[in-house]
PDB file of all heavy atoms in Angstrom:
ATOM      1  N   VAL D 221     111.127  78.049-111.165  1.00 98.00           N
ATOM      2  CA  VAL D 221     109.671  78.155-111.103  1.00 98.00           C
ATOM      3  C   VAL D 221     109.066  76.794-111.400  1.00 98.00           C
ATOM      4  O   VAL D 221     109.428  76.141-112.390  1.00 98.00           O
ATOM      5  CB  VAL D 221     109.145  79.196-112.113  1.00 98.00           C
ATOM      6  CG1 VAL D 221     107.626  79.188-112.142  1.00 98.00           C
ATOM      7  CG2 VAL D 221     109.682  80.575-111.774  1.00 98.00           C
ATOM      8  N   LYS D 222     108.173  76.350-110.539  1.00 98.00           N
ATOM      9  CA  LYS D 222     107.464  75.090-110.742  1.00 98.00           C
ATOM     10  C   LYS D 222     105.992  75.299-110.451  1.00 98.00           C
ATOM     11  O   LYS D 222     105.634  75.804-109.371  1.00 98.00           O
ATOM     12  CB  LYS D 222     108.024  73.989-109.842  1.00 98.00           C
ATOM     13  CG  LYS D 222     107.273  72.663-109.964  1.00 98.00           C
ATOM     14  CD  LYS D 222     107.931  71.565-109.163  1.00 98.00           C
ATOM     15  CE  LYS D 222     107.063  70.310-109.113  1.00 98.00           C
ATOM     16  NZ  LYS D 222     106.748  69.776-110.462  1.00 98.00           N
ATOM     17  N   ASP D 223     105.156  74.932-111.418  1.00 97.00           N
ATOM     18  CA  ASP D 223     103.707  75.089-111.274  1.00 97.00           C
ATOM     19  C   ASP D 223     103.331  76.527-110.917  1.00 97.00           C
ATOM     20  O   ASP D 223     102.423  76.777-110.111  1.00 97.00           O
ATOM     21  CB  ASP D 223     103.159  74.129-110.213  1.00 97.00           C
ATOM     22  CG  ASP D 223     103.383  72.678-110.576  1.00 97.00           C
ATOM     23  OD1 ASP D 223     103.372  72.374-111.786  1.00 97.00           O
ATOM     24  OD2 ASP D 223     103.596  71.854-109.667  1.00 97.00           O
ATOM     25  N   GLY D 224     104.067  77.484-111.489  1.00 97.00           N
ATOM     26  CA  GLY D 224     103.767  78.890-111.268  1.00 97.00           C
ATOM     27  C   GLY D 224     104.318  79.473-109.997  1.00 97.00           C
ATOM     28  O   GLY D 224     104.182  80.677-109.759  1.00 97.00           O
ATOM     29  N   SER D 225     104.953  78.665-109.158  1.00 98.00           N
ATOM     30  CA  SER D 225     105.478  79.147-107.885  1.00 98.00           C
ATOM     31  C   SER D 225     107.001  79.257-107.937  1.00 98.00           C
ATOM     32  O   SER D 225     107.677  78.372-108.472  1.00 98.00           O
ATOM     33  CB  SER D 225     105.091  78.200-106.741  1.00 98.00           C
ATOM     34  OG  SER D 225     103.689  78.132-106.604  1.00 98.00           O
ATOM     35  N   ALA D 226     107.524  80.333-107.368  1.00 98.00           N
ATOM     36  CA  ALA D 226     108.969  80.529-107.314  1.00 98.00           C
ATOM     37  C   ALA D 226     109.552  79.718-106.164  1.00 98.00           C
ATOM     38  O   ALA D 226     109.031  79.746-105.043  1.00 98.00           O
ATOM     39  CB  ALA D 226     109.292  82.005-107.142  1.00 98.00           C
ATOM     40  N   GLU D 227     110.620  78.984-106.459  1.00 98.00           N
ATOM     41  CA  GLU D 227     111.276  78.144-105.463  1.00 98.00           C
ATOM     42  C   GLU D 227     112.775  78.421-105.519  1.00 98.00           C
ATOM     43  O   GLU D 227     113.294  78.992-106.477  1.00 98.00           O
ATOM     44  CB  GLU D 227     111.029  76.655-105.754  1.00 98.00           C
ATOM     45  CG  GLU D 227     109.584  76.266-105.926  1.00 98.00           C
ATOM     46  CD  GLU D 227     108.862  76.092-104.604  1.00 98.00           C
ATOM     47  OE1 GLU D 227     109.555  76.091-103.559  1.00 98.00           O
ATOM     48  OE2 GLU D 227     107.627  75.965-104.603  1.00 98.00           O
ATOM     49  N   SER D 228     113.484  78.006-104.480  1.00 98.00           N
ATOM     50  CA  SER D 228     114.942  78.096-104.494  1.00 98.00           C
ATOM     51  C   SER D 228     115.526  76.904-103.756  1.00 98.00           C
ATOM     52  O   SER D 228     114.863  76.300-102.899  1.00 98.00           O
ATOM     53  CB  SER D 228     115.423  79.405-103.861  1.00 98.00           C
ATOM     54  OG  SER D 228     115.168  79.423-102.480  1.00 98.00           O
ATOM     55  N   ILE D 229     116.758  76.586-104.088  1.00 98.00           N
ATOM     56  CA  ILE D 229     117.451  75.470-103.454  1.00 98.00           C
ATOM     57  C   ILE D 229     118.932  75.814-103.401  1.00 98.00           C
ATOM     58  O   ILE D 229     119.479  76.389-104.346  1.00 98.00           O
ATOM     59  CB  ILE D 229     117.208  74.146-104.221  1.00 98.00           C
ATOM     60  CG1 ILE D 229     117.865  72.978-103.502  1.00 98.00           C
ATOM     61  CG2 ILE D 229     117.676  74.239-105.665  1.00 98.00           C
ATOM     62  CD1 ILE D 229     117.479  71.613-104.101  1.00 98.00           C
ATOM     63  N   SER D 230     119.562  75.484-102.308  1.00 98.00           N
ATOM     64  CA  SER D 230     120.984  75.730-102.128  1.00 98.00           C
ATOM     65  C   SER D 230     121.710  74.409-101.925  1.00 98.00           C
ATOM     66  O   SER D 230     121.130  73.426-101.462  1.00 98.00           O
ATOM     67  CB  SER D 230     121.230  76.651-100.926  1.00 98.00           C
ATOM     68  OG  SER D 230     120.650  77.918-101.145  1.00 98.00           O
ATOM     69  N   ALA D 231     122.984  74.387-102.297  1.00 98.00           N
ATOM     70  CA  ALA D 231     123.769  73.159-102.181  1.00 98.00           C
ATOM     71  C   ALA D 231     125.241  73.510-102.075  1.00 98.00           C
ATOM     72  O   ALA D 231     125.653  74.662-102.295  1.00 98.00           O
ATOM     73  CB  ALA D 231     123.524  72.265-103.399  1.00 98.00           C
ATOM     74  N   ASP D 232     126.030  72.506-101.734  1.00 98.00           N
ATOM     75  CA  ASP D 232     127.481  72.699-101.673  1.00 98.00           C
ATOM     76  C   ASP D 232     128.052  72.943-103.064  1.00 98.00           C
ATOM     77  O   ASP D 232     128.998  73.719-103.226  1.00 98.00           O
ATOM     78  CB  ASP D 232     128.149  71.474-101.055  1.00 98.00           C
ATOM     79  CG  ASP D 232     127.711  71.227 -99.620  1.00 98.00           C
ATOM     80  OD1 ASP D 232     127.620  72.214 -98.859  1.00 98.00           O
ATOM     81  OD2 ASP D 232     127.444  70.064 -99.270  1.00 98.00           O
ATOM     82  N   TYR D 233     127.462  72.261-104.068  1.00 98.00           N
ATOM     83  CA  TYR D 233     127.948  72.377-105.444  1.00 98.00           C
ATOM     84  C   TYR D 233     126.769  72.342-106.404  1.00 98.00           C
ATOM     85  O   TYR D 233     125.713  71.772-106.102  1.00 98.00           O
ATOM     86  CB  TYR D 233     128.906  71.228-105.795  1.00 98.00           C
ATOM     87  CG  TYR D 233     130.112  71.150-104.885  1.00 98.00           C
ATOM     88  CD1 TYR D 233     130.113  70.294-103.786  1.00 98.00           C
ATOM     89  CD2 TYR D 233     131.229  71.937-105.124  1.00 98.00           C
ATOM     90  CE1 TYR D 233     131.208  70.236-102.932  1.00 98.00           C
ATOM     91  CE2 TYR D 233     132.339  71.880-104.287  1.00 98.00           C
ATOM     92  CZ  TYR D 233     132.319  71.029-103.189  1.00 98.00           C
ATOM     93  OH  TYR D 233     133.399  70.978-102.347  1.00 98.00           O
ATOM     94  N   VAL D 234     126.963  72.947-107.580  1.00 98.00           N
ATOM     95  CA  VAL D 234     125.976  72.899-108.650  1.00 98.00           C
ATOM     96  C   VAL D 234     126.675  72.392-109.911  1.00 98.00           C
ATOM     97  O   VAL D 234     127.786  72.823-110.239  1.00 98.00           O
ATOM     98  CB  VAL D 234     125.354  74.279-108.934  1.00 98.00           C
ATOM     99  CG1 VAL D 234     124.562  74.266-110.240  1.00 98.00           C
ATOM    100  CG2 VAL D 234     124.447  74.697-107.775  1.00 98.00           C
ATOM    101  N   ILE D 235     126.023  71.457-110.605  1.00 99.00           N
ATOM    102  CA  ILE D 235     126.491  71.010-111.919  1.00 99.00           C
ATOM    103  C   ILE D 235     125.472  71.498-112.937  1.00 99.00           C
ATOM    104  O   ILE D 235     124.307  71.090-112.912  1.00 99.00           O
ATOM    105  CB  ILE D 235     126.621  69.481-112.001  1.00 99.00           C
ATOM    106  CG1 ILE D 235     127.597  68.957-110.953  1.00 99.00           C
ATOM    107  CG2 ILE D 235     127.072  69.050-113.398  1.00 99.00           C
ATOM    108  CD1 ILE D 235     127.694  67.439-110.897  1.00 99.00           C
ATOM    109  N   CYS D 236     125.905  72.380-113.822  1.00 98.00           N
ATOM    110  CA  CYS D 236     124.999  72.971-114.814  1.00 98.00           C
ATOM    111  C   CYS D 236     125.178  72.273-116.156  1.00 98.00           C
ATOM    112  O   CYS D 236     126.249  72.370-116.773  1.00 98.00           O
ATOM    113  CB  CYS D 236     125.285  74.459-114.951  1.00 98.00           C
ATOM    114  SG  CYS D 236     124.228  75.277-116.170  1.00 98.00           S
ATOM    115  N   THR D 237     124.147  71.584-116.616  1.00 98.00           N
ATOM    116  CA  THR D 237     124.174  70.922-117.923  1.00 98.00           C
ATOM    117  C   THR D 237     123.221  71.580-118.909  1.00 98.00           C
ATOM    118  O   THR D 237     122.957  71.043-119.986  1.00 98.00           O
ATOM    119  CB  THR D 237     123.827  69.424-117.791  1.00 98.00           C
ATOM    120  OG1 THR D 237     122.421  69.272-117.526  1.00 98.00           O
ATOM    121  CG2 THR D 237     124.626  68.755-116.689  1.00 98.00           C
ATOM    122  N   ILE D 238     122.695  72.739-118.551  1.00 98.00           N
ATOM    123  CA  ILE D 238     121.795  73.486-119.430  1.00 98.00           C
ATOM    124  C   ILE D 238     122.576  73.925-120.672  1.00 98.00           C
ATOM    125  O   ILE D 238     123.758  74.281-120.577  1.00 98.00           O
ATOM    126  CB  ILE D 238     121.229  74.709-118.691  1.00 98.00           C
ATOM    127  CG1 ILE D 238     120.358  74.251-117.509  1.00 98.00           C
ATOM    128  CG2 ILE D 238     120.417  75.597-119.616  1.00 98.00           C
ATOM    129  CD1 ILE D 238     119.910  75.388-116.612  1.00 98.00           C
ATOM    130  N   PRO D 239     121.973  73.908-121.861  1.00 98.00           N
ATOM    131  CA  PRO D 239     122.678  74.375-123.060  1.00 98.00           C
ATOM    132  C   PRO D 239     123.298  75.755-122.839  1.00 98.00           C
ATOM    133  O   PRO D 239     122.670  76.642-122.224  1.00 98.00           O
ATOM    134  CB  PRO D 239     121.576  74.413-124.124  1.00 98.00           C
ATOM    135  CG  PRO D 239     120.618  73.337-123.693  1.00 98.00           C
ATOM    136  CD  PRO D 239     120.622  73.399-122.193  1.00 98.00           C
ATOM    137  N   PRO D 240     124.535  75.972-123.331  1.00 98.00           N
ATOM    138  CA  PRO D 240     125.282  77.203-123.026  1.00 98.00           C
ATOM    139  C   PRO D 240     124.507  78.494-123.264  1.00 98.00           C
ATOM    140  O   PRO D 240     124.520  79.395-122.410  1.00 98.00           O
ATOM    141  CB  PRO D 240     126.495  77.106-123.955  1.00 98.00           C
ATOM    142  CG  PRO D 240     126.688  75.648-124.171  1.00 98.00           C
ATOM    143  CD  PRO D 240     125.317  75.048-124.174  1.00 98.00           C
ATOM    144  N   ALA D 241     123.833  78.605-124.405  1.00 96.00           N
ATOM    145  CA  ALA D 241     123.127  79.854-124.711  1.00 96.00           C
ATOM    146  C   ALA D 241     122.037  80.145-123.697  1.00 96.00           C
ATOM    147  O   ALA D 241     121.751  81.314-123.392  1.00 96.00           O
ATOM    148  CB  ALA D 241     122.540  79.784-126.114  1.00 96.00           C
ATOM    149  N   LEU D 242     121.400  79.103-123.160  1.00 98.00           N
ATOM    150  CA  LEU D 242     120.317  79.299-122.203  1.00 98.00           C
ATOM    151  C   LEU D 242     120.845  79.711-120.832  1.00 98.00           C
ATOM    152  O   LEU D 242     120.136  80.372-120.064  1.00 98.00           O
ATOM    153  CB  LEU D 242     119.473  78.030-122.090  1.00 98.00           C
ATOM    154  CG  LEU D 242     118.891  77.478-123.395  1.00 98.00           C
ATOM    155  CD1 LEU D 242     117.881  76.382-123.104  1.00 98.00           C
ATOM    156  CD2 LEU D 242     118.230  78.594-124.209  1.00 98.00           C
ATOM    157  N   VAL D 243     122.077  79.307-120.509  1.00 98.00           N
ATOM    158  CA  VAL D 243     122.666  79.685-119.224  1.00 98.00           C
ATOM    159  C   VAL D 243     122.828  81.198-119.141  1.00 98.00           C
ATOM    160  O   VAL D 243     122.600  81.814-118.096  1.00 98.00           O
ATOM    161  CB  VAL D 243     124.028  78.995-119.025  1.00 98.00           C
ATOM    162  CG1 VAL D 243     124.648  79.433-117.691  1.00 98.00           C
ATOM    163  CG2 VAL D 243     123.876  77.481-119.050  1.00 98.00           C
ATOM    164  N   THR D 244     123.201  81.813-120.252  1.00 98.00           N
ATOM    165  CA  THR D 244     123.452  83.260-120.249  1.00 98.00           C
ATOM    166  C   THR D 244     122.184  84.076-120.007  1.00 98.00           C
ATOM    167  O   THR D 244     122.270  85.265-119.681  1.00 98.00           O
ATOM    168  CB  THR D 244     124.091  83.701-121.580  1.00 98.00           C
ATOM    169  OG1 THR D 244     123.185  83.464-122.664  1.00 98.00           O
ATOM    170  CG2 THR D 244     125.388  82.937-121.842  1.00 98.00           C
ATOM    171  N   ARG D 245     121.027  83.462-120.166  1.00 98.00           N
ATOM    172  CA  ARG D 245     119.759  84.172-119.952  1.00 98.00           C
ATOM    173  C   ARG D 245     119.338  84.165-118.486  1.00 98.00           C
ATOM    174  O   ARG D 245     118.395  84.860-118.098  1.00 98.00           O
ATOM    175  CB  ARG D 245     118.651  83.551-120.792  1.00 98.00           C
ATOM    176  CG  ARG D 245     118.932  83.554-122.289  1.00 98.00           C
ATOM    177  CD  ARG D 245     117.820  82.849-123.035  1.00 98.00           C
ATOM    178  NE  ARG D 245     118.186  82.578-124.420  1.00 98.00           N
ATOM    179  CZ  ARG D 245     117.443  81.849-125.254  1.00 98.00           C
ATOM    180  NH1 ARG D 245     116.293  81.331-124.819  1.00 98.00           N
ATOM    181  NH2 ARG D 245     117.849  81.627-126.487  1.00 98.00           N
ATOM    182  N   LEU D 246     119.990  83.352-117.677  1.00 98.00           N
ATOM    183  CA  LEU D 246     119.623  83.248-116.271  1.00 98.00           C
ATOM    184  C   LEU D 246     120.129  84.458-115.497  1.00 98.00           C
ATOM    185  O   LEU D 246     121.149  85.068-115.842  1.00 98.00           O
ATOM    186  CB  LEU D 246     120.216  81.981-115.657  1.00 98.00           C
ATOM    187  CG  LEU D 246     119.892  80.641-116.330  1.00 98.00           C
ATOM    188  CD1 LEU D 246     120.628  79.517-115.611  1.00 98.00           C
ATOM    189  CD2 LEU D 246     118.388  80.391-116.333  1.00 98.00           C
ATOM    190  N   ASP D 247     119.434  84.796-114.426  1.00 98.00           N
ATOM    191  CA  ASP D 247     119.961  85.761-113.475  1.00 98.00           C
ATOM    192  C   ASP D 247     121.153  85.083-112.805  1.00 98.00           C
ATOM    193  O   ASP D 247     121.010  84.019-112.194  1.00 98.00           O
ATOM    194  CB  ASP D 247     118.878  86.109-112.455  1.00 98.00           C
ATOM    195  CG  ASP D 247     119.341  87.141-111.438  1.00 98.00           C
ATOM    196  OD1 ASP D 247     120.384  87.787-111.672  1.00 98.00           O
ATOM    197  OD2 ASP D 247     118.677  87.271-110.394  1.00 98.00           O
ATOM    198  N   ASN D 248     122.351  85.654-112.939  1.00 98.00           N
ATOM    199  CA  ASN D 248     123.542  84.961-112.470  1.00 98.00           C
ATOM    200  C   ASN D 248     124.603  85.948-112.005  1.00 98.00           C
ATOM    201  O   ASN D 248     124.513  87.140-112.284  1.00 98.00           O
ATOM    202  CB  ASN D 248     124.107  84.068-113.579  1.00 98.00           C
ATOM    203  CG  ASN D 248     124.658  84.865-114.742  1.00 98.00           C
ATOM    204  OD1 ASN D 248     125.791  85.347-114.701  1.00 98.00           O
ATOM    205  ND2 ASN D 248     123.840  85.018-115.800  1.00 98.00           N
ATOM    206  N   ASN D 249     125.600  85.427-111.310  1.00 98.00           N
ATOM    207  CA  ASN D 249     126.761  86.236-110.945  1.00 98.00           C
ATOM    208  C   ASN D 249     128.038  85.612-111.497  1.00 98.00           C
ATOM    209  O   ASN D 249     129.105  85.691-110.878  1.00 98.00           O
ATOM    210  CB  ASN D 249     126.860  86.442-109.429  1.00 98.00           C
ATOM    211  CG  ASN D 249     126.963  85.123-108.658  1.00 98.00           C
ATOM    212  OD1 ASN D 249     126.962  84.042-109.248  1.00 98.00           O
ATOM    213  ND2 ASN D 249     127.064  85.225-107.332  1.00 98.00           N
ATOM    214  N   LEU D 250     127.914  85.005-112.667  1.00 98.00           N
ATOM    215  CA  LEU D 250     129.070  84.430-113.332  1.00 98.00           C
ATOM    216  C   LEU D 250     129.971  85.527-113.869  1.00 98.00           C
ATOM    217  O   LEU D 250     129.481  86.582-114.304  1.00 98.00           O
ATOM    218  CB  LEU D 250     128.626  83.522-114.489  1.00 98.00           C
ATOM    219  CG  LEU D 250     127.802  82.288-114.117  1.00 98.00           C
ATOM    220  CD1 LEU D 250     127.242  81.622-115.373  1.00 98.00           C
ATOM    221  CD2 LEU D 250     128.640  81.294-113.312  1.00 98.00           C
ATOM    222  N   PRO D 251     131.288  85.328-113.874  1.00 98.00           N
ATOM    223  CA  PRO D 251     132.209  86.336-114.398  1.00 98.00           C
ATOM    224  C   PRO D 251     131.962  86.613-115.871  1.00 98.00           C
ATOM    225  O   PRO D 251     131.455  85.755-116.607  1.00 98.00           O
ATOM    226  CB  PRO D 251     133.590  85.716-114.175  1.00 98.00           C
ATOM    227  CG  PRO D 251     133.389  84.671-113.131  1.00 98.00           C
ATOM    228  CD  PRO D 251     131.993  84.149-113.329  1.00 98.00           C
TER     229      PRO D 251
END
């Protein structure tokens, strides 16, 4: 979400550096 608007982006790879506890709060399909 940026400036109140929902956005999305796709890529070949994602590098996640978000603090671990915050990652678990995301909508995700992680095992």
